Amino acid sequence: ELALENNHNIKVFQNNVIIASNNADPGNAGMLPQLNLNGGVNYSSNDTKLELLAQPAPVTIEQAGAESVSANLGVGLNWVIFDGMAMFRNYDKLKILVDLEDLKTRASVENTLMMVISNYYQMASAMNNVKVSKESISITNDRLKRAKAKYEVGASSSIDFLSAEVDLNTDSVTLINSKAQLDKAANNLNQLTGNQLPAGFTISEKVDIVTKMNFAELVKQASSNNAQLLNAEYSMLSAEKDMKIAQSGYSPTLAVNGNYGLNYIENEIGNMLSNQSLGYSAGVTLSYPIFQANIRKIRSQNAKVALLSSEEMRLNTVDQLNTDLNNAWIDYEKNTAVLEMEKRNLKNAEVNFTRSRELYQLGKVTNVQFRDAQLNYLRTQVSIVNSKYQVRLSEFELIRLSGMLIQKE
């Protein structure tokens, strides 16, 4: 929940959806008229010589610095009402791009959530490692005290005592490394949530395993819900619109225009000293490009090639999805089988350690034998917890690939 609200990457993709939604407007597709307010003033000063036809003889007028002023103010309308359906196809494409950005956002959310889940279990695993390391230190410390007591009364050599001391240092180093892994996992998890977690936060080590997943159902769901596959399909739809837009270039363009305004001209010299007009004008323009240096042809050809490429990308996405699903299922079955074996190993290792500890306290097993039983038991504790998390991660990956990790309300 925190990651969905505060992760910076997710926010960037969400902003892209907003931008695409803003762009999906009829006006941006060229479907609406354009209305402009135009105005301007021009001033000139020229040395002028005019020769006017008159009777009985032409009249010559000369003036240095003759001034002329012109001004206009008006409202102009221009509206393309037909362009080979390009505007409608462009509008359809803009709406497709909204869905495309939404799918990109969904894919980003899925990837972020998988990172959150992975780091969550990494932190849980590190917490378990710290707990096991502390337990190991406690066991070794008890052994060190016994070895020291025996050595001090002469009941044993210094070898057992020194060996226990070395093992205690080794376990302490393991604990330091485990704590460092825990701190790094916590930092990574906090970063994914936009640094919204409180200092020293902790998480639950509990993990619930799904009883059994159905591969056939996962494949069925993936074919209609996988974000990457839907992304490829919408990209192909966008390419189809681009091809139709390019083909619209072979059609004529019909536009209407109109203007209402004031025009004023004032001359210091000449036949017309001033002129003022107020009114409107309207017209229709039809244009058809006969030759554009092969631009239309090239644009259309490239659009067709782009459509073919988008289809290849879609097919590649289908193949990749099938491969990823099969590989994820293999990992899931493998991790599930390993977990069952680790459960049996833990039971055996626990019995072996308990018995070895009793025999060690009675002096019937060596220091080395007891240490081996201890390490085997502790390693099995770590392994079974990690196996649980690996199974859970496998489940989430299958859920993500099937497109069911995120479902719209």
Side-chain angles (χ1 to χ4, degrees):
E1 187 174 322
L2 286 172
L4 289 173
E5 292 176 357
N6 302 289
N7 183 270
H8 302 302
N9 287 332
I10 291 178
K11 287 184 177 181
V12 170
F13 277 94
Q14 289 173 337
N15 288 337
N16 290 340
V17 175
I18 295 174
I19 292 173
S21 299
N22 293 337
N23 288 334
D25 183 89
N28 196 38
M31 299 172 66
L32 301 180
Q34 294 183 358
L35 189 65
N36 298 307
L37 177 65
N38 303 308
V41 176
N42 293 302
Y43 169 82
S44 65
S45 177
N46 301 291
D47 294 337
T48 305
K49 181 180 179 180
L50 298 177
E51 189 171 342
L52 306 175
L53 181 64
Q55 295 294 333
V59 177
T60 299
I61 302 174
E62 290 187 62
Q63 182 170 332
E67 297 180 341
S68 176
V69 177
S70 64
N72 65 84
L73 178 64
V75 177
L77 171 72
N78 187 64
W79 189 4
V80 176
I81 58 177
F82 180 77
D83 61 353
M85 304 300 290
M87 65 179 77
F88 297 98
R89 292 163 179 171
N90 193 38
Y91 184 47
D92 290 340
K93 178 188 173 182
L94 291 174
K95 291 188 288 185
I96 290 173
L97 291 179
V98 176
D99 294 328
L100 193 56
E101 288 298 333
D102 190 55
L103 285 168
K104 289 179 180 179
T105 301
R106 179 183 150 194
S108 173
V109 170
E110 287 180 348
N111 291 334
T112 301
L113 289 182
M114 288 301 295
M115 292 173 65
V116 170
I117 293 165
S118 177
N119 279 276
Y120 184 94
Y121 287 135
Q122 286 180 24
M123 184 175 174
S125 177
M127 289 172 60
N128 179 67
N129 291 345
V130 169
K131 182 174 67 176
V132 171
S133 297
K134 289 180 178 179
E135 183 181 351
S136 180
I137 287 176
S138 176
I139 295 170
T140 306
N141 197 43
D142 180 67
R143 196 177 105 224
L144 176 64
K145 291 177 181 179
R146 291 176 179 275
K148 183 179 180 181
K150 289 182 180 180
Y151 171 67
E152 288 176 347
V153 299
S156 66
S157 67
S158 63
I159 295 177
D160 288 347
F161 170 63
L162 294 174
S163 177
E165 199 167 47
V166 170
D167 291 340
L168 181 61
N169 290 332
T170 300
D171 292 344
S172 298
V173 170
T174 301
L175 176 61
I176 291 173
N177 290 331
S178 298
K179 286 182 176 179
Q181 291 174 354
L182 175 59
D183 290 340
K184 289 194 291 185
N187 288 335
N188 292 336
L189 191 58
N190 196 20
Q191 186 267 334
L192 288 168
T193 63
N195 295 313
Q196 296 297 311
L197 295 170
F201 73 94
T202 187
I203 61 174
S204 171
E205 297 178 57
K206 182 182 178 182
V207 57
D208 296 319
I209 306 296
V210 177
T211 304
K212 186 63 177 176
M213 304 191 78
N214 188 313
F215 184 67
E217 180 63 23
L218 291 170
V219 172
K220 179 181 177 181
Q221 292 293 333
S223 63
S224 57
N225 296 314
N226 179 268
Q228 297 298 338
L229 181 57
L230 292 174
N231 192 306
E233 290 175 351
Y234 273 89
S235 294
M236 192 174 72
L237 289 176
S238 178
E240 288 178 353
K241 293 299 179 183
D242 283 334
M243 187 182 70
K244 292 181 179 179
I245 291 170
Q247 292 172 344
S248 298
Y250 290 95
S251 300
T253 299
L254 182 65
V256 296
N257 57 80
N259 184 76
Y260 180 82
L262 169 69
N263 291 282
Y264 175 78
I265 299 174
E266 181 179 310
N267 297 310
E268 192 175 356
I269 188 172
N271 284 333
M272 184 176 64
L273 297 180
S274 66
N275 180 39
Q276 177 177 311
S277 62
L278 176 66
Y280 62 87
S281 62
V284 178
T285 303
L286 176 67
S287 65
Y288 181 78
I290 298 175
F291 181 71
Q292 291 185 322
N294 289 330
I295 293 176
R296 289 178 300 178
K297 179 181 177 182
I298 294 171
R299 186 182 296 124
S300 181
Q301 289 175 338
N302 289 344
K304 289 179 181 178
V305 174
L307 178 59
L308 292 174
S309 295
S310 66
E311 170 63 11
E312 293 298 328
M313 290 298 295
R314 188 192 69 82
L315 293 174
N316 182 69
T317 303
V318 171
D319 293 342
Q320 187 64 55
L321 176 58
N322 290 333
T323 301
D324 291 343
L325 268 172
N326 281 288
N327 288 341
W329 184 258
I330 290 171
D331 286 338
Y332 168 71
E333 291 190 316
K334 177 204 70 175
N335 292 331
T336 302
V338 169
L339 176 59
E340 293 303 315
M341 294 179 66
E342 293 292 356
K343 289 179 180 179
R344 293 193 294 269
N345 286 342
L346 179 61
K347 186 178 294 185
N348 294 334
E350 186 175 10
V351 172
N352 182 52
F353 170 70
T354 303
R355 183 59 179 161
S356 297
R357 190 174 195 176
E358 293 172 353
L359 294 174
Y360 174 74
Q361 292 172 351
L362 296 173
K364 292 184 179 181
V365 297
T366 65
N367 181 56
V368 174
Q369 289 173 320
F370 176 63
R371 178 63 174 176
D372 286 343
Q374 175 191 355
L375 291 177
N376 187 44
Y377 174 55
L378 297 175
R379 278 195 294 262
T380 306
Q381 281 185 296
V382 171
S383 295
I384 193 170
V385 171
N386 289 339
S387 293
K388 287 181 180 179
Y389 296 151
Q390 288 302 316
V391 171
R392 195 65 176 127
L393 287 171
S394 298
E395 291 173 351
F396 273 114
E397 177 63 8
L398 286 169
I399 292 170
R400 183 190 72 82
L401 289 171
S402 67
M404 296 188 292
L405 185 61
I406 299 175
Q407 299 183 19
K408 288 188 176 182
E409 295 181 355

